[in-house]
PDB file of all heavy atoms in Angstrom:
ATOM      1  N   PHE A 219     -32.730  40.499  15.516  1.00  0.00           N
ATOM      2  CA  PHE A 219     -31.935  40.855  16.641  1.00  0.00           C
ATOM      3  C   PHE A 219     -30.612  40.120  16.655  1.00  0.00           C
ATOM      4  O   PHE A 219     -30.548  38.908  16.394  1.00  0.00           O
ATOM      5  CB  PHE A 219     -32.743  40.485  17.966  1.00  0.00           C
ATOM      6  CG  PHE A 219     -32.458  41.360  19.093  1.00  0.00           C
ATOM      7  CD1 PHE A 219     -33.339  42.446  19.369  1.00  0.00           C
ATOM      8  CD2 PHE A 219     -31.396  41.182  19.960  1.00  0.00           C
ATOM      9  CE1 PHE A 219     -33.139  43.295  20.409  1.00  0.00           C
ATOM     10  CE2 PHE A 219     -31.111  42.028  21.007  1.00  0.00           C
ATOM     11  CZ  PHE A 219     -32.040  43.103  21.254  1.00  0.00           C
ATOM     12  N   TYR A 220     -29.547  40.827  16.937  1.00  0.00           N
ATOM     13  CA  TYR A 220     -28.179  40.205  16.877  1.00  0.00           C
ATOM     14  C   TYR A 220     -28.184  39.088  17.922  1.00  0.00           C
ATOM     15  O   TYR A 220     -28.862  39.077  18.890  1.00  0.00           O
ATOM     16  CB  TYR A 220     -27.105  41.188  17.158  1.00  0.00           C
ATOM     17  CG  TYR A 220     -26.854  41.550  18.679  1.00  0.00           C
ATOM     18  CD1 TYR A 220     -25.862  40.925  19.394  1.00  0.00           C
ATOM     19  CD2 TYR A 220     -27.648  42.454  19.319  1.00  0.00           C
ATOM     20  CE1 TYR A 220     -25.656  41.179  20.735  1.00  0.00           C
ATOM     21  CE2 TYR A 220     -27.474  42.747  20.687  1.00  0.00           C
ATOM     22  CZ  TYR A 220     -26.456  42.118  21.330  1.00  0.00           C
ATOM     23  OH  TYR A 220     -26.235  42.387  22.708  1.00  0.00           O
ATOM     24  N   ARG A 221     -27.327  38.037  17.632  1.00  0.00           N
ATOM     25  CA  ARG A 221     -27.221  36.944  18.582  1.00  0.00           C
ATOM     26  C   ARG A 221     -25.754  36.705  18.833  1.00  0.00           C
ATOM     27  O   ARG A 221     -24.923  36.543  17.903  1.00  0.00           O
ATOM     28  CB  ARG A 221     -27.822  35.651  17.936  1.00  0.00           C
ATOM     29  CG  ARG A 221     -27.562  34.504  18.836  1.00  0.00           C
ATOM     30  CD  ARG A 221     -27.940  33.139  18.242  1.00  0.00           C
ATOM     31  NE  ARG A 221     -27.382  32.069  19.079  1.00  0.00           N
ATOM     32  CZ  ARG A 221     -27.285  30.830  18.694  1.00  0.00           C
ATOM     33  NH1 ARG A 221     -27.697  30.431  17.554  1.00  0.00           N
ATOM     34  NH2 ARG A 221     -26.808  29.947  19.547  1.00  0.00           N
ATOM     35  N   ILE A 222     -25.416  36.749  20.108  1.00  0.00           N
ATOM     36  CA  ILE A 222     -24.050  36.414  20.510  1.00  0.00           C
ATOM     37  C   ILE A 222     -24.097  35.408  21.707  1.00  0.00           C
ATOM     38  O   ILE A 222     -24.731  35.751  22.707  1.00  0.00           O
ATOM     39  CB  ILE A 222     -23.242  37.667  20.956  1.00  0.00           C
ATOM     40  CG1 ILE A 222     -22.997  38.565  19.802  1.00  0.00           C
ATOM     41  CG2 ILE A 222     -21.917  37.298  21.664  1.00  0.00           C
ATOM     42  CD1 ILE A 222     -21.895  38.111  18.861  1.00  0.00           C
ATOM     43  N   ASP A 223     -23.458  34.273  21.565  1.00  0.00           N
ATOM     44  CA  ASP A 223     -23.325  33.392  22.687  1.00  0.00           C
ATOM     45  C   ASP A 223     -22.297  32.334  22.329  1.00  0.00           C
ATOM     46  O   ASP A 223     -21.874  32.254  21.156  1.00  0.00           O
ATOM     47  CB  ASP A 223     -24.626  32.760  23.135  1.00  0.00           C
ATOM     48  CG  ASP A 223     -25.300  32.089  21.977  1.00  0.00           C
ATOM     49  OD1 ASP A 223     -24.728  31.125  21.440  1.00  0.00           O
ATOM     50  OD2 ASP A 223     -26.421  32.504  21.571  1.00  0.00           O
ATOM     51  N   THR A 224     -21.963  31.497  23.312  1.00  0.00           N
ATOM     52  CA  THR A 224     -20.918  30.497  23.026  1.00  0.00           C
ATOM     53  C   THR A 224     -21.530  29.148  22.739  1.00  0.00           C
ATOM     54  O   THR A 224     -20.772  28.144  22.681  1.00  0.00           O
ATOM     55  CB  THR A 224     -20.030  30.383  24.304  1.00  0.00           C
ATOM     56  OG1 THR A 224     -20.804  30.015  25.395  1.00  0.00           O
ATOM     57  CG2 THR A 224     -19.322  31.689  24.594  1.00  0.00           C
ATOM     58  N   ILE A 267     -30.101  46.419  24.212  1.00  0.00           N
ATOM     59  CA  ILE A 267     -28.907  45.725  24.705  1.00  0.00           C
ATOM     60  C   ILE A 267     -27.836  45.713  23.606  1.00  0.00           C
ATOM     61  O   ILE A 267     -28.118  45.775  22.468  1.00  0.00           O
ATOM     62  CB  ILE A 267     -29.227  44.266  25.245  1.00  0.00           C
ATOM     63  CG1 ILE A 267     -29.626  43.343  24.103  1.00  0.00           C
ATOM     64  CG2 ILE A 267     -30.155  44.332  26.353  1.00  0.00           C
ATOM     65  CD1 ILE A 267     -29.663  41.864  24.552  1.00  0.00           C
ATOM     66  N   CYS A 268     -26.618  45.602  24.048  1.00  0.00           N
ATOM     67  CA  CYS A 268     -25.470  45.818  23.196  1.00  0.00           C
ATOM     68  C   CYS A 268     -24.312  44.893  23.583  1.00  0.00           C
ATOM     69  O   CYS A 268     -24.151  44.571  24.764  1.00  0.00           O
ATOM     70  CB  CYS A 268     -25.031  47.268  23.314  1.00  0.00           C
ATOM     71  SG  CYS A 268     -23.579  47.713  22.386  1.00  0.00           S
ATOM     72  N   CYS A 269     -23.538  44.423  22.620  1.00  0.00           N
ATOM     73  CA  CYS A 269     -22.446  43.548  22.932  1.00  0.00           C
ATOM     74  C   CYS A 269     -21.133  44.294  23.018  1.00  0.00           C
ATOM     75  O   CYS A 269     -20.932  45.292  22.282  1.00  0.00           O
ATOM     76  CB  CYS A 269     -22.275  42.499  21.795  1.00  0.00           C
ATOM     77  SG  CYS A 269     -20.968  41.323  22.086  1.00  0.00           S
ATOM     78  N   SER A 309     -25.655  29.809  33.157  1.00  0.00           N
ATOM     79  CA  SER A 309     -26.700  29.341  32.232  1.00  0.00           C
ATOM     80  C   SER A 309     -26.674  27.834  32.226  1.00  0.00           C
ATOM     81  O   SER A 309     -25.763  27.117  32.723  1.00  0.00           O
ATOM     82  CB  SER A 309     -26.397  29.875  30.775  1.00  0.00           C
ATOM     83  OG  SER A 309     -25.209  29.318  30.341  1.00  0.00           O
ATOM     84  N   ASP A 311     -26.079  25.961  29.883  1.00  0.00           N
ATOM     85  CA  ASP A 311     -24.910  25.411  29.162  1.00  0.00           C
ATOM     86  C   ASP A 311     -23.553  25.823  29.788  1.00  0.00           C
ATOM     87  O   ASP A 311     -22.517  25.749  29.198  1.00  0.00           O
ATOM     88  CB  ASP A 311     -24.949  25.838  27.689  1.00  0.00           C
ATOM     89  CG  ASP A 311     -24.876  27.330  27.466  1.00  0.00           C
ATOM     90  OD1 ASP A 311     -25.334  28.052  28.325  1.00  0.00           O
ATOM     91  OD2 ASP A 311     -24.397  27.736  26.404  1.00  0.00           O
ATOM     92  N   TRP A 313     -22.241  28.640  30.835  1.00  0.00           N
ATOM     93  CA  TRP A 313     -21.684  29.984  30.622  1.00  0.00           C
ATOM     94  C   TRP A 313     -21.915  30.784  31.948  1.00  0.00           C
ATOM     95  O   TRP A 313     -22.867  30.594  32.625  1.00  0.00           O
ATOM     96  CB  TRP A 313     -22.336  30.652  29.431  1.00  0.00           C
ATOM     97  CG  TRP A 313     -21.763  32.052  29.048  1.00  0.00           C
ATOM     98  CD1 TRP A 313     -20.671  32.260  28.262  1.00  0.00           C
ATOM     99  CD2 TRP A 313     -22.264  33.319  29.418  1.00  0.00           C
ATOM    100  NE1 TRP A 313     -20.469  33.577  28.095  1.00  0.00           N
ATOM    101  CE2 TRP A 313     -21.471  34.253  28.799  1.00  0.00           C
ATOM    102  CE3 TRP A 313     -23.355  33.771  30.161  1.00  0.00           C
ATOM    103  CZ2 TRP A 313     -21.651  35.694  28.893  1.00  0.00           C
ATOM    104  CZ3 TRP A 313     -23.537  35.128  30.283  1.00  0.00           C
ATOM    105  CH2 TRP A 313     -22.711  36.049  29.683  1.00  0.00           C
ATOM    106  N   ALA A 342     -33.017  31.013  20.749  1.00  0.00           N
ATOM    107  CA  ALA A 342     -31.669  31.567  20.573  1.00  0.00           C
ATOM    108  C   ALA A 342     -31.433  32.770  21.508  1.00  0.00           C
ATOM    109  O   ALA A 342     -30.294  33.147  21.759  1.00  0.00           O
ATOM    110  CB  ALA A 342     -31.403  32.008  19.109  1.00  0.00           C
ATOM    111  N   HIS A 343     -32.493  33.371  21.956  1.00  0.00           N
ATOM    112  CA  HIS A 343     -32.341  34.578  22.864  1.00  0.00           C
ATOM    113  C   HIS A 343     -32.607  34.286  24.324  1.00  0.00           C
ATOM    114  O   HIS A 343     -32.866  35.153  25.123  1.00  0.00           O
ATOM    115  CB  HIS A 343     -33.179  35.711  22.307  1.00  0.00           C
ATOM    116  CG  HIS A 343     -32.721  36.197  21.008  1.00  0.00           C
ATOM    117  ND1 HIS A 343     -31.551  36.988  20.854  1.00  0.00           N
ATOM    118  CD2 HIS A 343     -33.208  36.006  19.761  1.00  0.00           C
ATOM    119  CE1 HIS A 343     -31.381  37.257  19.536  1.00  0.00           C
ATOM    120  NE2 HIS A 343     -32.387  36.699  18.835  1.00  0.00           N
ATOM    121  N   ARG A 348     -34.168  34.739  30.686  1.00  0.00           N
ATOM    122  CA  ARG A 348     -32.849  35.398  30.638  1.00  0.00           C
ATOM    123  C   ARG A 348     -32.823  36.644  31.457  1.00  0.00           C
ATOM    124  O   ARG A 348     -33.898  37.142  31.865  1.00  0.00           O
ATOM    125  CB  ARG A 348     -32.498  35.757  29.166  1.00  0.00           C
ATOM    126  CG  ARG A 348     -33.239  36.996  28.712  1.00  0.00           C
ATOM    127  CD  ARG A 348     -32.879  37.500  27.388  1.00  0.00           C
ATOM    128  NE  ARG A 348     -31.492  37.873  27.335  1.00  0.00           N
ATOM    129  CZ  ARG A 348     -30.825  38.142  26.171  1.00  0.00           C
ATOM    130  NH1 ARG A 348     -31.481  38.101  25.052  1.00  0.00           N
ATOM    131  NH2 ARG A 348     -29.590  38.457  26.153  1.00  0.00           N
ATOM    132  N   GLY A 356     -23.739  43.070  27.356  1.00  0.00           N
ATOM    133  CA  GLY A 356     -24.393  41.711  27.587  1.00  0.00           C
ATOM    134  C   GLY A 356     -23.506  40.723  28.354  1.00  0.00           C
ATOM    135  O   GLY A 356     -24.017  39.976  29.130  1.00  0.00           O
ATOM    136  N   TYR A 357     -22.166  40.808  28.198  1.00  0.00           N
ATOM    137  CA  TYR A 357     -21.358  39.688  28.783  1.00  0.00           C
ATOM    138  C   TYR A 357     -21.298  39.833  30.315  1.00  0.00           C
ATOM    139  O   TYR A 357     -20.908  38.912  30.961  1.00  0.00           O
ATOM    140  CB  TYR A 357     -19.904  39.760  28.201  1.00  0.00           C
ATOM    141  CG  TYR A 357     -18.966  40.838  28.778  1.00  0.00           C
ATOM    142  CD1 TYR A 357     -17.979  40.432  29.659  1.00  0.00           C
ATOM    143  CD2 TYR A 357     -19.166  42.166  28.532  1.00  0.00           C
ATOM    144  CE1 TYR A 357     -17.125  41.426  30.223  1.00  0.00           C
ATOM    145  CE2 TYR A 357     -18.323  43.145  29.054  1.00  0.00           C
ATOM    146  CZ  TYR A 357     -17.306  42.733  29.872  1.00  0.00           C
ATOM    147  OH  TYR A 357     -16.474  43.698  30.476  1.00  0.00           O
ATOM    148  N   ALA A 360     -26.416  39.867  30.675  1.00  0.00           N
ATOM    149  CA  ALA A 360     -27.626  39.421  29.896  1.00  0.00           C
ATOM    150  C   ALA A 360     -27.776  37.887  29.797  1.00  0.00           C
ATOM    151  O   ALA A 360     -28.212  37.384  28.743  1.00  0.00           O
ATOM    152  CB  ALA A 360     -27.624  40.028  28.502  1.00  0.00           C
ATOM    153  N   THR A 361     -27.372  37.198  30.810  1.00  0.00           N
ATOM    154  CA  THR A 361     -27.361  35.717  30.863  1.00  0.00           C
ATOM    155  C   THR A 361     -28.634  35.115  30.249  1.00  0.00           C
ATOM    156  O   THR A 361     -29.721  35.326  30.748  1.00  0.00           O
ATOM    157  CB  THR A 361     -27.146  35.157  32.240  1.00  0.00           C
ATOM    158  OG1 THR A 361     -26.010  35.823  32.823  1.00  0.00           O
ATOM    159  CG2 THR A 361     -26.896  33.667  32.169  1.00  0.00           C
ATOM    160  N   LYS A 362     -28.438  34.310  29.196  1.00  0.00           N
ATOM    161  CA  LYS A 362     -29.600  33.662  28.547  1.00  0.00           C
ATOM    162  C   LYS A 362     -29.649  32.223  29.141  1.00  0.00           C
ATOM    163  O   LYS A 362     -28.650  31.729  29.639  1.00  0.00           O
ATOM    164  CB  LYS A 362     -29.345  33.566  27.050  1.00  0.00           C
ATOM    165  CG  LYS A 362     -29.128  34.955  26.374  1.00  0.00           C
ATOM    166  CD  LYS A 362     -29.175  34.851  24.870  1.00  0.00           C
ATOM    167  CE  LYS A 362     -27.825  34.587  24.237  1.00  0.00           C
ATOM    168  NZ  LYS A 362     -27.897  34.704  22.735  1.00  0.00           N
ATOM    169  N   TRP A 363     -30.784  31.627  29.102  1.00  0.00           N
ATOM    170  CA  TRP A 363     -31.001  30.245  29.634  1.00  0.00           C
ATOM    171  C   TRP A 363     -30.482  30.168  31.030  1.00  0.00           C
ATOM    172  O   TRP A 363     -29.877  29.200  31.467  1.00  0.00           O
ATOM    173  CB  TRP A 363     -30.295  29.211  28.750  1.00  0.00           C
ATOM    174  CG  TRP A 363     -30.450  29.434  27.268  1.00  0.00           C
ATOM    175  CD1 TRP A 363     -31.622  29.315  26.584  1.00  0.00           C
ATOM    176  CD2 TRP A 363     -29.467  29.871  26.332  1.00  0.00           C
ATOM    177  NE1 TRP A 363     -31.418  29.584  25.259  1.00  0.00           N
ATOM    178  CE2 TRP A 363     -30.085  29.947  25.085  1.00  0.00           C
ATOM    179  CE3 TRP A 363     -28.080  30.169  26.368  1.00  0.00           C
ATOM    180  CZ2 TRP A 363     -29.415  30.304  23.929  1.00  0.00           C
ATOM    181  CZ3 TRP A 363     -27.456  30.535  25.250  1.00  0.00           C
ATOM    182  CH2 TRP A 363     -28.067  30.607  24.030  1.00  0.00           C
ATOM    183  N   TRP A 379     -16.078  35.577  30.308  1.00  0.00           N
ATOM    184  CA  TRP A 379     -15.227  36.516  29.487  1.00  0.00           C
ATOM    185  C   TRP A 379     -14.208  37.244  30.302  1.00  0.00           C
ATOM    186  O   TRP A 379     -13.196  37.676  29.732  1.00  0.00           O
ATOM    187  CB  TRP A 379     -16.147  37.444  28.764  1.00  0.00           C
ATOM    188  CG  TRP A 379     -16.895  36.777  27.592  1.00  0.00           C
ATOM    189  CD1 TRP A 379     -18.196  36.552  27.457  1.00  0.00           C
ATOM    190  CD2 TRP A 379     -16.293  36.226  26.411  1.00  0.00           C
ATOM    191  NE1 TRP A 379     -18.526  35.852  26.331  1.00  0.00           N
ATOM    192  CE2 TRP A 379     -17.283  35.668  25.646  1.00  0.00           C
ATOM    193  CE3 TRP A 379     -14.965  36.139  25.915  1.00  0.00           C
ATOM    194  CZ2 TRP A 379     -17.081  35.008  24.427  1.00  0.00           C
ATOM    195  CZ3 TRP A 379     -14.750  35.547  24.757  1.00  0.00           C
ATOM    196  CH2 TRP A 379     -15.795  34.946  23.970  1.00  0.00           C
TER     197      TRP A 379
HETATM  198  N1  MTE B   1     -25.822  31.610  28.251  1.00  0.00           N
HETATM  199  C1  MTE B   1     -25.311  32.641  27.616  1.00  0.00           C
HETATM  200  N2  MTE B   1     -25.770  33.856  27.784  1.00  0.00           N
HETATM  201  C2  MTE B   1     -25.280  34.896  27.184  1.00  0.00           C
HETATM  202  C3  MTE B   1     -24.108  34.763  26.341  1.00  0.00           C
HETATM  203  C4  MTE B   1     -23.577  33.461  26.225  1.00  0.00           C
HETATM  204  O1  MTE B   1     -22.564  33.266  25.572  1.00  0.00           O
HETATM  205  N3  MTE B   1     -24.245  32.424  26.887  1.00  0.00           N
HETATM  206  N4  MTE B   1     -23.540  35.883  25.755  1.00  0.00           N
HETATM  207  C5  MTE B   1     -23.867  37.208  26.315  1.00  0.00           C
HETATM  208  C6  MTE B   1     -23.467  38.253  25.404  1.00  0.00           C
HETATM  209  S1  MTE B   1     -21.785  38.520  25.249  1.00  0.00           S
HETATM  210  C7  MTE B   1     -24.354  39.095  24.843  1.00  0.00           C
HETATM  211  S2  MTE B   1     -23.861  40.465  24.070  1.00  0.00           S
HETATM  212  C8  MTE B   1     -25.807  38.856  25.001  1.00  0.00           C
HETATM  213  C9  MTE B   1     -26.457  38.794  23.618  1.00  0.00           C
HETATM  214  O2  MTE B   1     -27.818  38.473  23.695  1.00  0.00           O
HETATM  215  P1  MTE B   1     -28.638  38.188  22.365  1.00  0.00           P
HETATM  216  O3  MTE B   1     -27.952  37.034  21.721  1.00  0.00           O
HETATM  217  O4  MTE B   1     -30.018  37.871  22.786  1.00  0.00           O
HETATM  218  O5  MTE B   1     -28.565  39.440  21.535  1.00  0.00           O
HETATM  219  O6  MTE B   1     -26.106  37.647  25.638  1.00  0.00           O
HETATM  220  C10 MTE B   1     -25.320  37.347  26.752  1.00  0.00           C
HETATM  221  N5  MTE B   1     -25.788  36.167  27.360  1.00  0.00           N
END
Side-chain angles (χ1 to χ4, degrees):
F219 213 94
Y220 81 97
R221 174 187 170 196
I222 290 285
D223 55 62
T224 59
I267 66 169
C268 175
C269 184
S309 65
D311 60 333
W313 185 82
H343 294 286
R348 75 172 303 168
Y357 81 107
T361 311
K362 305 192 271 188
W363 316 291
W379 285 112

